[in-house]
Amino acid sequence: MMQNAAIIPLLKDVARQEHQLQLTCESCALYSLCLPLGLHRNDLETLDSIIKRSKPLTRGQALYEMSENFDSLYVVRSGAFKTTLSTEDGREQITGFYLPGDLIGMDAIHTGSYQATAKALSSSSVCALPYSSLQELSQAIPALQQQIYNRLSKELSNDKHLLMALGQKTAMEKLVGFLLSLSRRFEERGYAANTFELPMSRIDIANHLGLAIETISRLLGQLVNDDLIACQGKSITLIDKPALKKLCN
Amino acid sequence: MMQNAAIIPLLKDVARQEHQLQLTCESCALYSLCLPLGLHRNDLETLDSIIKRSKPLTRGQALYEMSENFDSLYVVRSGAFKTTLSTEDGREQITGFYLPGDLIGMDAIHTGSYQATAKALSSSSVCALPYSSLQELSQAIPALQQQIYNRLSKELSNDKHLLMALGQKTAMEKLVGFLLSLSRRFEERGYAANTFELPMSRIDIANHLGLAIETISRLLGQLVNDDLIACQGKSITLIDKPALKKLCN
DNA sequence: AAGCGTCCTTGATCTAGGTCAAGAACCACG
DNA sequence: CGTGGTTCTTGACCTAGATCAAGGACGCTT
């Protein structure tokens, strides 16, 4: 009898692990950040019914490749992703980093194929939203349509700010701006705002900001020297946020 | 009597001029490029009823300013526009150029206020689409909802390609890529693909591509020297398009 | 725990493109 | 049809950040 009491919760955990892929939106930790925010309970169930919760991806694995057939948008469930665009001669540009709750693949909607390649930065999982179902559903559920407009618009806005950074800002301004935006995004997700692990390598940061990796390394060193941040490996602590904000305008 | 025959068409023209702001989508030259493409006749009339065709703007005049209250999206009817984002210390980045049929203001949807400033590059006119009406209407008209998703997605895609250019490409690649994309856009609108007037100044091109105006001037000179383009003032002719395409990958 | 590959750091040097300067061409306006 | 302002061109020079180089640290795998 005593044995049972100890074993039952364990069994429950195992069961949860095994059925984790079938969890509902309602029970999801990301609920308040995610697409279904604001939907009524029965609409939520309808949305739930079209979502495919797929297997986890390992570090470096592609969620989809450029020019592959477009069928689904993806919400990041755990881990992180990057999307890259590449030229014919092989140069790549990382056009975005995606954290839990973010929607990936929206730039493919207007064509039949993905416009970029999306890769996991670490072990990650996603919810797949088949686009044709999502479209139909959003026709019936005003709050969902609005959410989709908002998500698209938000990403547009982000990209325009990034354009500004790439076009007008110095290397230091780009880097500090990047760190602050990461910090804000972690905070929105309920993590600490001032101390976090970088989900991506310095190579990726450099590429994303249009800089050389050596420049990132030197600038991080400089920020540490000036006691504005602490940094060991991928772990970052923002020490003097006001000064950092001043540094990137 | 003979006088009448001569006068009638003239009067008609005048009448058309005066009522030009009340023209319908159906009679609009831009119809095939514009948002209502694919809508049924009666849906088109409903859309028409929410559109406000406003007075023309003069060169340099703002359609809206950053942080102004967001209420409408705008379709360019004639002329051209640029949108700019600015930092606190006054630097500006031109995030997009908009030609007839293009939709302006989509990055504002997710907030209550415009995220950029939109200015006319020459005498221009727009159709205003009050967002709340457009949203309701798109809830009722599937083809319209789809069009809006597509437009948002298309702009997202454009911005990502621009990010790639700003992050990875050389000055020459940026400039040639820009000229070719303008050429394509003119062609889509039924104008000549290989000879056109630049709607914007070199200052604006330079800013948009993250370059100095002197660089633009020098590179254009070089392209003319190499007989790849002809160029006098704002008038551009693309002479060797295959070579140009090669130059920008 | 040794070995290998990737990532990161730091220093020395180089260069694409920026900045400065000065004149020319192109307007819009009275 | 000047004339004052903006825009454009061309040349001389400079610099932020790239590239090259070499060594160190940090994972993986077996």
Side-chain angles (χ1 to χ4, degrees):
Chain A
M1 282 302 180
M2 287 303 280
Q3 282 170 309
N4 255 351
I7 285 167
I8 285 166
L10 188 64
L11 286 178
K12 262 184 167 169
D13 280 348
V14 170
R16 186 177 296 147
Q17 288 278 342
E18 282 178 356
H19 292 98
Q20 155 169 279
L21 298 177
Q22 279 75 48
L23 279 175
T24 61
C25 284
E26 203 176 1
S27 67
C28 179
L30 289 172
Y31 172 71
S32 66
L33 298 162
C34 198
L35 207 58
L37 181 64
L39 262 58
H40 291 133
R41 195 188 185 105
N42 47 347
D43 291 337
L44 193 55
E45 278 165 19
T46 321
L47 178 61
D48 243 327
S49 71
I50 71 160
I51 294 178
K52 299 193 164 53
R53 296 183 174 76
S54 51
K55 286 216 193 79
L57 290 87
T58 62
R59 184 183 141 83
Q61 203 181 340
L63 178 58
Y64 55 76
E65 301 263 2
M66 186 152 74
S67 83
E68 215 171 80
N69 225 41
F70 167 64
D71 55 355
S72 296
L73 297 177
Y74 296 94
V75 178
V76 181
R77 246 164 101 68
S78 66
F81 288 81
K82 64 176 172 184
T83 53
T84 58
L85 222 58
S86 45
T87 56
E88 278 138 40
D89 65 334
R91 278 173 292 173
E92 292 203 336
Q93 169 73 31
I94 298 175
T95 53
F97 293 114
Y98 297 83
L99 301 183
D102 287 338
L103 201 49
I104 314 187
M106 294 186 285
D107 51 339
I109 288 176
H110 73 109
T111 62
S113 58
Y114 290 107
Q115 299 294 294
T117 294
K119 284 193 175 149
L121 292 170
S122 57
S123 300
S124 304
S125 58
V126 297
C127 294
L129 310 170
Y131 179 62
S132 60
S133 314
L134 188 65
Q135 200 178 353
E136 273 175 43
L137 212 57
S138 69
Q139 196 68 61
I141 307 174
L144 183 58
Q145 185 197 64
Q146 201 177 326
Q147 269 282 356
I148 297 174
Y149 287 160
N150 286 346
R151 287 306 187 101
L152 278 156
S153 170
K154 184 90 186 290
E155 177 138 355
L156 212 43
S157 215
N158 282 347
D159 284 0
K160 306 226 175 244
H161 282 272
L162 198 50
L163 282 175
M164 147 71 86
L166 292 193
Q168 307 297 329
K169 296 197 172 176
T170 64
M172 183 58 99
E173 289 172 327
K174 288 180 189 175
L175 177 61
V176 173
F178 176 74
L179 291 177
L180 288 174
S181 100
L182 258 190
S183 158
R184 191 168 19 76
R185 293 171 72 188
F186 280 124
E187 192 172 25
E188 282 167 8
R189 283 160 181 76
Y191 300 119
N194 295 326
T195 175
F196 50 84
E197 297 282 309
L198 292 172
M200 70 294 286
S201 69
R202 272 140 234 234
I203 296 178
D204 285 346
I205 299 175
N207 176 286
H208 183 54
L209 300 177
L211 297 171
I213 174 182
E214 293 93 330
T215 304
I216 299 294
S217 211
R218 276 185 256 270
L219 293 178
L220 280 176
Q222 202 174 314
L223 290 173
V224 169
N225 258 7
D226 297 353
D227 276 323
L228 301 183
I229 68 169
C231 158
Q232 40 198 350
K234 305 219 155 170
S235 149
I236 298 277
T237 304
L238 307 184
I239 295 172
D240 189 346
K241 230 165 169 179
L244 290 170
K245 279 179 184 160
K246 216 166 173 184
L247 260 186
C248 80
N249 285 288
Chain B
M1 281 304 177
M2 287 302 277
Q3 281 170 313
N4 255 352
I7 284 167
I8 286 165
L10 188 64
L11 286 178
K12 262 183 167 169
D13 280 349
V14 169
R16 186 178 295 148
Q17 288 279 342
E18 282 178 356
H19 293 98
Q20 152 170 282
L21 298 178
Q22 279 76 49
L23 280 174
T24 62
C25 284
E26 204 175 2
S27 67
C28 179
L30 289 172
Y31 174 70
S32 67
L33 298 162
C34 198
L35 207 59
L37 182 66
L39 260 58
H40 291 131
R41 196 190 184 102
N42 46 347
D43 289 339
L44 193 54
E45 278 165 20
T46 321
L47 178 60
D48 244 328
S49 72
I50 71 160
I51 295 177
K52 298 194 165 54
R53 296 182 174 78
S54 51
K55 286 217 193 78
L57 289 88
T58 62
R59 184 183 142 84
Q61 202 181 341
L63 179 58
Y64 55 75
E65 302 263 2
M66 184 151 75
S67 83
E68 215 171 80
N69 225 43
F70 167 64
D71 55 356
S72 296
L73 298 176
Y74 296 94
V75 177
V76 181
R77 246 164 101 68
S78 66
F81 288 82
K82 64 176 174 184
T83 53
T84 60
L85 221 58
S86 46
T87 55
E88 277 139 41
D89 63 335
R91 279 173 292 173
E92 292 203 336
Q93 169 73 31
I94 297 176
T95 53
F97 292 113
Y98 297 84
L99 301 183
D102 287 338
L103 201 49
I104 314 186
M106 293 186 286
D107 52 338
I109 288 176
H110 73 109
T111 62
S113 57
Y114 290 107
Q115 299 295 294
T117 294
K119 284 194 175 148
L121 292 169
S122 55
S123 299
S124 305
S125 59
V126 296
C127 295
L129 310 170
Y131 179 63
S132 60
S133 315
L134 187 64
Q135 199 179 355
E136 273 175 43
L137 212 57
S138 70
Q139 195 67 60
I141 308 174
L144 182 60
Q145 186 198 64
Q146 204 176 323
Q147 268 282 357
I148 296 174
Y149 286 161
N150 286 347
R151 288 306 187 100
L152 278 156
S153 171
K154 184 90 186 292
E155 176 138 356
L156 212 43
S157 216
N158 283 347
D159 283 359
K160 307 233 177 239
H161 282 272
L162 198 50
L163 282 175
M164 149 70 86
L166 292 194
Q168 307 297 329
K169 297 198 171 175
T170 64
M172 183 58 99
E173 291 172 326
K174 287 180 190 175
L175 177 60
V176 174
F178 177 74
L179 291 177
L180 288 174
S181 98
L182 258 190
S183 158
R184 191 169 20 75
R185 293 170 72 188
F186 280 123
E187 193 172 25
E188 282 167 7
R189 283 161 180 75
Y191 301 118
N194 295 327
T195 174
F196 51 84
E197 298 282 308
L198 292 172
M200 71 293 288
S201 69
R202 272 140 233 234
I203 296 178
D204 284 346
I205 298 176
N207 176 287
H208 184 53
L209 299 177
L211 297 171
I213 173 181
E214 294 93 331
T215 303
I216 300 295
S217 212
R218 277 186 255 269
L219 293 178
L220 280 176
Q222 204 174 312
L223 290 172
V224 170
N225 260 6
D226 298 353
D227 276 322
L228 301 182
I229 68 170
C231 158
Q232 40 198 352
K234 304 219 152 168
S235 149
I236 298 277
T237 304
L238 306 184
I239 295 172
D240 189 346
K241 229 163 168 180
L244 289 170
K245 278 179 184 160
K246 217 167 174 183
L247 260 186
C248 80
N249 286 287

